[in-house]
Amino acid sequence: PESSTGYSYEDCQATADWLLSQTAVRPLVGIVCGSGLGGLAEALKDQVAFNYRDIPNFPQSTVHGHAGRLVFGTLKGRPCVCMQGRFHLYEGYAIQKITMPMRIFKLLGVETVILTNAAGGLNQDYKVGDIMIIKDHLNMPGFAGNNPLAGPNDERFGVRFPCMSDAYDRELQQMALDVGSELGYSNFLREGVYCVLGGPSFETIAECRMLHKLGADAVGMSTVHEVIVARHCGMRVFALSLITNKAVMNYDSEEKANHEEVLQTGKQRAEQLERLVSTIVTRLEHN
Ligand code: 6GU
């Protein structure tokens, strides 16, 4: 049957097999680096890296600040694969293209996916530079019918109607809190709800106020689609938002969201975010 990916299971298998033939690394952890957070990929040892354009069937990245490489390597001895640069709805991709790499992760043998993103803070207690452990999400494009699992379902990936109430692994959230505390990060580590929008325009003031009332702590343009597809095919998920700016909530505010601020904050907090993720990776247990 035609797969819901726009890529058939066989297409994904061919891509995964090609990658496995090019590297000896057998990753159990898959990492997705958000805007300005690609440094995590640089930290991998014994790297084997592929430009997206050189990988059969792989989508291409277009955004400034996203390198567009799939990097295999080890993080303190643990085999990992890392997406340096991801795909977004606002680039004009079909939603199935954005999430296709999650199925490649699965077919490579990945058991745990860790995703990072840059996000705007809606929660008034949040400060720029805070790191938010994502405990749940609001999938706004999904409300409008734009879900990466829409279309025919291939049971080899997962069930037709996957559960999402357990999308974000609770053990990993607790581990992140513990690791954060050990590293001395507790005063800027948060737990909250991430809301995804299509972008590329940032939110209006009225939209920010609405999202906050609906229970969102942070807003961004990524991650949720990948989480849905990763959970569909049975991988464990952990996700972090770096709060790069405060969403504008008041008409007397002079602030304006802009991409440069997002990248700048990413640079300042990137090292700590990378240390948090790499420490979590070394504590993961796999079958
Ligand atoms: Cl304020 N909004 C959205 N949608 N994405 C962001 C952001 C804001 N800040 C970083 N990414």
Side-chain angles (χ1 to χ4, degrees):
E2 190 188 325
S3 160
S4 64
T5 56
Y7 301 95
S8 68
Y9 189 91
E10 288 75 16
D11 288 341
C12 293
Q13 189 74 260
T15 302
D17 287 348
W18 183 86
L19 288 164
L20 291 171
S21 76
Q22 303 288 311
T23 170
V25 179
R26 293 293 175 264
L28 296 172
V29 182
I31 301 170
V32 182
C33 302
S35 299
L37 301 170
L40 206 53
E42 319 283 352
L44 295 189
K45 294 268 179 347
D46 303 317
Q47 286 192 15
V48 184
F50 304 91
N51 291 320
Y52 291 158
R53 66 173 171 279
D54 297 329
I55 305 172
N57 300 331
F58 221 70
Q60 311 290 309
S61 184
T62 63
V63 187
H64 173 63
H66 293 256
R69 297 193 315 157
L70 191 65
V71 184
F72 290 76
T74 57
L75 213 46
K76 299 193 187 131
R78 313 294 169 115
C80 297
V81 58
C82 192
M83 284 183 76
Q84 197 174 26
R86 59 145 64 87
F87 307 104
H88 303 86
L89 272 185
Y90 63 75
E91 293 174 89
Y93 293 115
I95 196 163
Q96 289 87 357
K97 272 201 161 179
I98 292 166
T99 54
M100 177 265 203
M102 296 303 102
R103 291 181 164 179
I104 304 305
F105 277 5
K106 174 69 179 182
L107 295 174
L108 290 172
V110 166
E111 295 179 354
T112 304
V113 180
I114 301 178
L115 305 105
T116 66
N117 63 52
L122 294 163
N123 186 320
Q124 293 307 288
D125 295 336
Y126 287 7
K127 297 182 188 65
V128 169
D130 281 354
I131 294 173
M132 184 183 89
I133 297 164
I134 301 181
K135 66 176 182 192
D136 206 347
H137 71 226
L138 289 170
N139 178 13
M140 301 305 265
F143 289 175
N146 205 0
N147 186 300
L149 300 176
N153 185 60
D154 192 322
E155 294 275 338
R156 287 174 288 184
F157 285 118
V159 298
R160 172 76 286 190
F161 302 108
C163 178
M164 285 294 141
S165 55
D166 60 353
Y168 299 87
D169 189 276
R170 301 237 164 80
E171 262 181 42
L172 295 182
Q173 292 173 54
Q174 186 58 52
M175 191 204 288
L177 285 174
D178 295 343
V179 169
S181 163
E182 288 168 35
L183 293 172
Y185 294 177
S186 296
N187 63 330
F188 59 86
L189 200 56
R190 316 279 185 178
E191 291 174 278
V193 175
Y194 177 86
C195 177
V196 63
L197 300 178
S201 49
F202 287 114
E203 302 70 41
T204 64
I205 293 167
E207 286 163 349
C208 288
R209 294 163 78 119
M210 178 191 84
L211 297 176
H212 183 242
K213 276 197 178 138
L214 292 179
D217 296 298
V219 58
M221 307 176 191
S222 70
T223 307
V224 167
H225 320 300
E226 293 146 330
V227 168
I228 290 169
V229 170
R231 290 299 298 149
H232 179 246
C233 62
M235 295 186 288
R236 273 208 298 182
V237 165
F238 174 74
L240 290 174
S241 287
L242 175 61
I243 306 300
T244 53
N245 54 287
K246 296 190 78 159
V248 180
M249 307 282 275
N250 286 297
Y251 289 98
D252 52 15
S253 169
E254 297 283 307
E255 287 178 59
K256 293 184 186 183
N258 71 85
H259 192 55
E260 286 314 309
E261 182 182 20
V262 169
L263 294 180
Q264 201 52 44
T265 306
K267 273 186 199 148
Q268 287 164 14
R269 209 35 123 199
E271 233 171 87
Q272 283 148 315
L273 190 136
E274 284 157 31
R275 173 156 303 189
L276 182 61
V277 172
S278 62
T279 309
I280 291 168
V281 168
T282 62
R283 295 197 192 173
L284 290 176
E285 284 173 28
H286 288 107
N287 305 320

